[in-house]
Amino acid sequence: ILNVEQSPQSLHVQEGDSTNFTCSFPSSNFYALHWYRWETAKSPEALFVMTLNGDEKKKGRISATLNTKEGYSYLYIKGSQPEDSATYLCATVPGSQGNLIFGKGTKLSVKP
Amino acid sequence: EAGVAQSPRYKIIEKRQSVAFWCNPISGHATLYWYQQILGQGPKLLIQFQNNGVVDDSQLPKDRFSAERLKGVDSTLKIQPAKLEDSAVYLCASSLDLSGKGGEQFFGPGTRLTVL
């Protein structure tokens, strides 16, 4: 059974702070890693799908890196805004079966 | 483009009752997923369909849960009878990826089920 670990579980920051979260996963049999943002009462929204070791992706103030050899991914948010408050989920795709295995998420709260 | 639709959004039932959830995926998406997200946990895949065929239902508690995707479009997930531990958010997702191999998944808003 694969375990996807996310840290921290929750995070409280002030508006304007930059922050980052970690997603750890078994490096063997890796196929892809997904990051999702899930705001309360809304649909989880895909942020990034990453497959290559060393990959870096950016969307506005949010970026992510991937290290498949050591089994981790970082998600960075630059200059956090209250609208960034959400739970950030990462999920791995082992092998090529296509099933996402999710971590428990990191809940971010940004205070104005 | 319309997103993934789910209904109802909220449902409260008593244990041993039955409940059904409905999902309408994004038009043209071949692959449909049902996930269960228990409070404090990450979403867990219950069943994956490709068109109207089941690809993976290894984590579906088949003694009480059933799902179908007639005509390869809409899907329903049923629980009969419900237990207290079934209280969770049930998420439906769809993917254009015909191979079902790790492509981006688009999620609906979920149905929050409370079993009393």
Side-chain angles (χ1 to χ4, degrees), chain B residues 64-116:
Chain B
R64 298 183 301 104
F65 286 64
S66 64
E68 59 183 10
R69 190 183 184 197
L70 299 176
K71 300 180 182 178
V73 182
D74 293 7
S75 177
T76 55
L77 176 69
K78 296 179 182 178
I79 307 175
Q80 181 178 12
K83 292 185 176 181
L84 296 176
E85 58 261 35
D86 298 332
S87 295
V89 175
Y90 291 84
L91 291 165
C92 178
S94 68
S95 172
L96 182 62
D97 187 354
L98 291 176
S99 68
K101 293 181 179 179
E104 181 179 344
Q105 295 184 19
F106 296 82
F107 284 84
T111 296
R112 182 175 295 277
L113 174 68
T114 301
V115 183
L116 302 176

Side-chain angles (χ1 to χ4, degrees), chain A residues 2-6 23 34-36 38 44 88-93 99-105, chain B residues 35-37 41-45 91 93 105 107:
Chain A
L2 293 175
N3 286 322
V4 178
E5 304 287 343
Q6 290 190 247
C23 173
H34 295 222
W35 279 102
Y36 286 86
W38 192 2
Y88 291 82
L89 293 164
C90 78
T92 61
V93 181
N99 299 336
L100 295 178
I101 298 178
F102 283 88
K104 295 181 180 180
Chain B
Y35 291 89
Q36 178 193 57
Q37 194 254 339
Q41 304 291 320
K44 181 185 81 171
L45 179 72
L91 291 165
Q105 295 184 19
F107 284 84

Side-chain angles (χ1 to χ4, degrees), chain A residues 31 34 41 43 46 96-99 103, chain B residues 9 42 48 56 100-102 107-109:
Chain A
Y31 187 79
H34 295 222
S43 304
S96 58
Q97 294 306 305
N99 299 336
Chain B
R9 292 293 307 276
Q48 176 186 351
D56 184 351
K101 293 181 179 179
F107 284 84

